[in-house]
Amino acid sequence: MFQINENYQKLPGSYLFSTIAKKVSAYQAANPDKSLIRLGIGDVTQPIAPAIIEAMHKAVDEMGHAETFRGYAPDLGYDFLRKAIVENDYQAKGCGISEDEVFVSDGAKSDSANIQEIFGEKNRIAVCDPVYPVYVDSNVMAGRTGTYDAKTETWSDVIYMPCTAENNFVPEFPKETPDLIYLCLPNNPTGTTLTKDQLQEWVDYANKAGAVIIYDAAYEAYISETDVPHSIYECEGAKTCAIELRSFSKNAGFTGVRLGFTVVPKELTCGDVSLNAMWARRHGTKFNGAPYIVQRAGEAVYSEAGKAQLKEQVAYYMKNAKTIKEGLKESGYTVFGGVNAPYIWLKTPNHMSSWDFFDYLLENANVVGTPGSGFGPSGEGYFRLTAFGNYENTVKALERIRAL
C-alpha cells in the first residue's frame, strides 16, 4: 500500500491565513448585514499601473502572431527581464550581481518554500520569532524541524530568535549555531528593519559560522530611511553567504499576476558544490517559467513611467500606514512598524490574547486583522494590521477601532 509524507501530519492546524479566512467567512455567513473592512492579509488593492498594463496588452498581442509568439520561457527567465533586474535593483546600488545569478519565478512565497530543497535534511534552521509562517512550515514538510510542542508552540529542532519590544524587534545572534538563517527585512509582521551596519554584522556572523542567510526582501520598495539597505548584497561578503528573495507583489501590485525572483550568487558554495548550479538544476526540473506576458509586465516595472507610477502607489500605501499608526497612538495603543514597511504591529489592549483581540475587532468593529501569535510564540499579545487597503476604508477602519 502507498505511504504518505508523514511530515505533513506534523503541521498543527491549517495555514494561518486559511484559518483567518474560515473564521471571517463563518462570521459573514452569520452576519450578512455587517460590512467588513479587511486589514489582515497583505493583499494590494490599487490597480496595476498604466505603464505595466500597456506592456501586458502589447505582449498579449504578440502572442497572437506567429512571428512574435512565445512558448516555454528560458529556465532562468527572459534576458530582457533579468537585465532590467540586475541594472536597476543591483548595479544601481553598487551590488555586483550578474544576470546568470537571477532566477525568475512566480513569486517569493513559492521560492521561500522551495529554496530549502537544495539543503540537507540535517541542517538546523534559525528563524525570527515572530516570523512569516511559510519559512517554518516548509521545513516541517521536509522533516527538518523535529517534534512540535503544542504548549510552547515551538519545534524542537528550530532555533528561535525572539524579536520583542525589549530588543526593538531586532534579532540577536542565537546561542546555538544554525546552518540556515531566515531574515525578512523590512520585516513581516513587525514592520521593523535593520540598518546597514546591523545587517553587516549578520553577514559577518554567517560567513564565520559557515551558515547561509535566506534573505526575504519582498518589502524593500517601502524603505524610507537612508541607512536601511535595500539588498543584502550591499553588505561586504554577502555573496558568499546569502540568497536573496524578491517579489513584484507588493512593489508593483502583482499579487494576482505572480512574479518574483531569487538571487543565488556563484560565489556561494558548499565545498566544491555551487548552490547557483543546484538551484538552476532544481529550477529547470520543477518550474517551466513565469509567462512571457507577465515577464514583459515585470520589465515595465523598471521603465521610467513604471517607476514613477509605482512610487505613487507605494506612497499611497505608506500614507495608509501613517494614518493607522498615528491614529492608534493617539488612542493609547503601543504601535510599531509603518515607517519602512506597510505593516502596523500593535500591542493588544488590556492583556488580551492575539486571537481574543481578533474576535473582538471582528465582532465589535467589523475589522479583520492578523493575530500576532499566528506568526510564532513571541507574537502573542500583538496584532498586525496591513496598510494595503484603500484609503477610505483605512480611515473608516481606524474610526471604528478608536470608537471601541
Side-chain angles (χ1 to χ4, degrees), residues 242-300:
I243 292 172
E244 184 164 287
L245 313 176
R246 288 287 190 102
S247 169
F248 286 79
S249 287
K250 305 308 194 294
N251 68 324
F254 278 29
T255 52
V257 176
R258 307 309 306 150
L259 188 67
F261 63 89
T262 290
V263 177
V264 186
K266 292 190 289 264
E267 295 173 34
L268 183 53
T269 62
C270 181
D272 295 330
V273 179
S274 164
L275 269 63
N276 177 282
M278 287 187 70
W279 186 242
R281 186 68 173 87
R282 191 264 173 207
H283 212 62
T285 300
K286 292 192 173 185
F287 186 64
N288 260 339
Y292 171 71
I293 297 165
V294 174
Q295 293 199 44
R296 280 297 186 190
E299 180 189 30

Side-chain angles (χ1 to χ4, degrees), residues 78-100:
Y78 284 102
D79 290 343
F80 60 77
L81 177 57
R82 289 162 50 229
K83 183 175 185 290
I85 288 169
V86 167
E87 289 179 353
N88 290 274
D89 288 331
Y90 296 102
Q91 290 179 358
K93 295 180 174 63
C95 306
I97 297 299
S98 60
E99 292 176 29
D100 57 359

Side-chain angles (χ1 to χ4, degrees), residues 181-346:
I181 303 166
Y182 286 82
L183 295 178
C184 176
L185 299 165
N187 186 258
N188 175 19
T190 66
T192 55
T193 193
L194 301 182
T195 65
K196 184 176 179 179
D197 288 343
Q198 289 174 316
L199 186 57
Q200 182 67 59
E201 291 178 1
W202 277 97
V203 169
D204 295 342
Y205 171 83
N207 276 319
K208 184 177 180 180
V212 173
I213 297 174
I214 310 298
Y215 190 78
D216 188 343
Y219 301 94
E220 64 81 26
Y222 293 84
I223 293 172
S224 62
E225 296 178 317
T226 56
D227 62 343
V228 175
H230 289 254
S231 168
I232 195 169
Y233 302 118
E234 294 178 45
C235 295
E236 185 178 351
K239 291 180 69 177
T240 58
C241 71
I243 292 172
E244 184 164 287
L245 313 176
R246 288 287 190 102
S247 169
F248 286 79
S249 287
K250 305 308 194 294
N251 68 324
F254 278 29
T255 52
V257 176
R258 307 309 306 150
L259 188 67
F261 63 89
T262 290
V263 177
V264 186
K266 292 190 289 264
E267 295 173 34
L268 183 53
T269 62
C270 181
D272 295 330
V273 179
S274 164
L275 269 63
N276 177 282
M278 287 187 70
W279 186 242
R281 186 68 173 87
R282 191 264 173 207
H283 212 62
T285 300
K286 292 192 173 185
F287 186 64
N288 260 339
Y292 171 71
I293 297 165
V294 174
Q295 293 199 44
R296 280 297 186 190
E299 180 189 30
V301 167
Y302 299 104
S303 67
E304 290 307 311
K307 289 178 183 178
Q309 292 163 8
L310 294 179
K311 186 176 181 180
E312 290 181 3
Q313 279 198 1
V314 168
Y316 178 93
Y317 291 130
M318 291 310 290
K319 179 183 178 182
N320 288 349
K322 183 178 181 180
T323 299
I324 297 170
K325 185 171 186 175
E326 291 182 351
L328 290 177
K329 274 188 172 182
E330 290 172 3
S331 298
Y333 285 86
T334 302
V335 189
F336 308 90
V339 176
N340 295 299
Y343 293 122
I344 303 300
W345 186 246
L346 62 123

Side-chain angles (χ1 to χ4, degrees), residues 114-137:
N114 294 331
I115 194 67
Q116 51 79 26
E117 289 188 21
I118 66 174
F119 296 99
E121 185 178 321
K122 294 182 180 179
N123 283 314
R124 292 286 303 279
I125 70 166
V127 296
C128 294
D129 174 28
V131 69
Y132 181 46
V134 172
Y135 307 153
V136 175
D137 288 358

